[in-house]
Amino acid sequence: MSVNQNDLRVIKTKRGLREAFIRLLLQKGYDAISIQEIATEAQAARVTFYRHYKDKEELLVDCLNVIYEELSKRVKQISMEDIQKGYSPLLVFYEHIQEEEELYTILFSSRGTQVVIERLRKLFAERIKEQIGERFPDKQLQVPLEIIAYYSASARIGLAIWWLENGKPYPAKYMAQASRWLIRAGGARGLGLDDFSIEPPPIPPISSDH
């Protein structure tokens, strides 16, 4: 029997399972959690879990969808004017990592890592394609747009993982600026911008924790 996803009881049950799963993630990490533990933590029956999710990975994807819907909403609210003033989607991303640092740390170090990275890569690649289309609507690209977008998205995510794994040695704002500059410098030729000459952001002192 199919489940009505708009039923308030279904919404409440799934929210309870997601919240229980995240609590267990923070306590134990992804790999150590069992389906029974999730159901028990959510004060639900095991059969209730399987009524909504086929396995732990599907629940993880649902949790990520909820988390990244919020991230995506923030990113899409940024205008080109905001970007020109220095408030970029990358800064939103780094701020989000700071807000959910413990959760990101666990997700990036578990079997769920690939799911997390794929969701982030898709989010950033789509936004990059939109930005290029807005800024260079008639530009003859030297490399296919899809390649530029996914290369840029992968590089941004990889740098963010390094930042988190190394205890955030530089401020979020600098990381966003540096990442954006590196991508723009590397992607300029692909966009046919041979005269790219924007100066890199000044390097701030390393955090006293390092």
Side-chain angles (χ1 to χ4, degrees), residues 174 177-178 181-182 196-203:
Y174 172 74
Q177 291 173 335
W181 183 84
L182 286 167
F196 179 83
S197 60
I198 298 176
E199 292 295 319
I203 301 174

Side-chain angles (χ1 to χ4, degrees), residues 94 121 149-161 179 182-183:
Y94 278 99
R121 183 183 290 123
Y150 275 86
Y151 164 78
S152 301
S154 298
R156 291 177 179 188
I157 294 163
L159 189 58
I161 292 173
S179 182
L182 286 167
I183 295 301

Side-chain angles (χ1 to χ4, degrees), residues 131-144:
Q131 290 174 355
I132 291 175
E134 290 170 3
R135 295 192 63 187
F136 308 103
D138 302 314
K139 189 74 175 178
Q140 182 65 44
L141 303 180
Q142 306 299 307
V143 178

Side-chain angles (χ1 to χ4, degrees), residues 17-34:
L17 288 168
R18 287 195 303 267
E19 291 173 351
F21 182 51
I22 289 175
R23 286 196 298 272
L24 289 170
L25 272 177
L26 297 176
Q27 293 170 19
K28 307 178 65 173
Y30 179 83
D31 301 327
I33 302 172
S34 69

Side-chain angles (χ1 to χ4, degrees), residues 14-15 28 59 84 100 102-103 107 109 113 121 132 144-145 147 166 174 191 206:
K14 293 182 73 171
R15 183 172 64 242
K28 307 178 65 173
L59 174 55
Q84 290 168 359
E100 304 287 351
E102 191 175 6
L103 180 58
L107 290 173
S109 61
T113 299
R121 183 183 290 123
I132 291 175
L145 178 58
I147 292 178
N166 286 274
Y174 172 74
L191 292 170
I206 294 179

Side-chain angles (χ1 to χ4, degrees), residues 13 16-17 35-49:
T13 299
L17 288 168
I35 301 298
Q36 184 59 61
E37 285 176 315
I38 296 170
T40 300
E41 180 70 20
Q43 298 183 337
R46 186 183 176 93
V47 68
T48 300
F49 177 94

